[in-house]
């Protein structure tokens, strides 16, 4: 599978509510749990660049002020939480059991109390950040003002 482009770009998105009728029937989110989570749909190309497309049990989520840092690798930012990647496909029924890590997108559910600055329907933008001498690669998520 090809990773398109080498130019740093950003990808707009929106924070979503985790709705029971929009998750695969393979998952069993109880409603009280779902109410405490926000859904962050991840761009497919960033999933591949970050290295979390295949067989990754969790991604690290750091906070840097209001910004969110998604990373497979440790970052020098202190505390973090671990997020399990979930599969979805915008071209399939939201409740399908027919999901494939080669073809489908990922989303992450984040506890609302960890991202109090974010709300359902907030416009966000993801930016892929290449590794540098002192930082591993990561995806930056910023709330649009």
């Amino acid at each position: 599978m090809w990773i398109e482009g080498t130019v740093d770009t950003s990808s707009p998105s929106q924070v979503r509510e985790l709705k029971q009728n929009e998750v695969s029937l393979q998952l069993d989110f109880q409603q009280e749990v779902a109410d405490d989570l926000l859904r962050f749909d991840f761009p497919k190309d960033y999933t591949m660049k970050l290295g979390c497309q295949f067989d990754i049990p969790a991604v690290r989520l750091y906070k840097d002020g209001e910004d969110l840092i998604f990373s497979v690798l440790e970052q020098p930012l202190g505390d973090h939480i671990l997020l399990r990647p979930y599969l979805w496909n915008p071209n399939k029924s939201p409740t399908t059991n027919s999901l494939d890590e080669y073809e489908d997108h990922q989303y992450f559910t984040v506890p609302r109390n960890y991202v109090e600055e974010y709300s359902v329907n907030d416009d966000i933008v993801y930016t892929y950040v290449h590794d540098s001498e002192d930082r591993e690669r990561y995806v930056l998520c910023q709330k649009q003002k």
Side-chain angles (χ1 to χ4, degrees):
M1 183 175 288
W2 290 93
I3 298 176
E4 296 182 16
T6 57
V7 178
D8 285 341
T9 58
S10 49
S11 180
S13 188
Q14 200 169 54
V15 178
R16 297 182 54 203
E17 180 179 358
L18 181 62
K19 295 181 182 178
Q20 293 281 29
N21 63 346
E22 292 183 356
V23 297
S24 171
L25 296 174
Q26 295 173 333
L27 305 175
D28 186 22
F29 287 107
Q30 295 181 350
Q31 191 58 49
E32 58 271 11
V33 172
D35 288 343
D36 288 335
L37 299 170
L38 294 175
R39 177 175 165 160
F40 288 76
D41 294 342
F42 222 63
K44 178 73 171 170
D45 56 335
Y46 288 7
T47 298
M48 294 182 332
K49 289 180 180 180
L50 196 57
C52 62
Q53 182 177 5
F54 305 109
D55 298 324
I56 298 292
V59 168
R60 292 169 174 86
L61 178 64
Y62 297 87
K63 287 179 67 176
D64 188 11
E66 286 191 4
D67 298 340
L68 302 178
I69 307 290
F70 291 85
S71 181
V72 172
L73 305 167
E74 286 193 41
Q75 299 292 333
L77 296 172
D79 293 339
H80 63 275
I81 61 173
L82 296 175
L83 304 175
R84 175 184 168 193
Y86 296 102
L87 294 173
W88 73 288
N89 188 314
N91 300 316
K92 294 180 182 177
S93 166
T95 58
T96 185
N97 285 332
S98 176
L99 293 168
D100 180 348
E101 65 184 4
Y102 290 95
E103 300 293 326
D104 298 321
H105 299 249
Q106 290 181 346
Y107 68 90
F108 298 97
T109 59
V110 182
R112 289 178 190 255
N113 65 355
Y114 189 77
V115 290
E116 293 174 348
E117 306 85 356
Y118 291 78
S119 300
V120 172
N121 297 325
D122 280 349
D123 292 322
I124 56 175
V125 65
Y126 294 104
T127 306
Y128 176 75
V129 181
H130 293 276
D131 57 332
S132 64
E133 287 184 23
D134 60 340
R135 293 282 296 267
E136 299 289 348
R137 67 184 181 274
Y138 61 91
V139 172
L140 173 67
C141 175
Q142 295 177 302
K143 188 173 171 181
Q144 294 298 286
K145 303 195 191 266

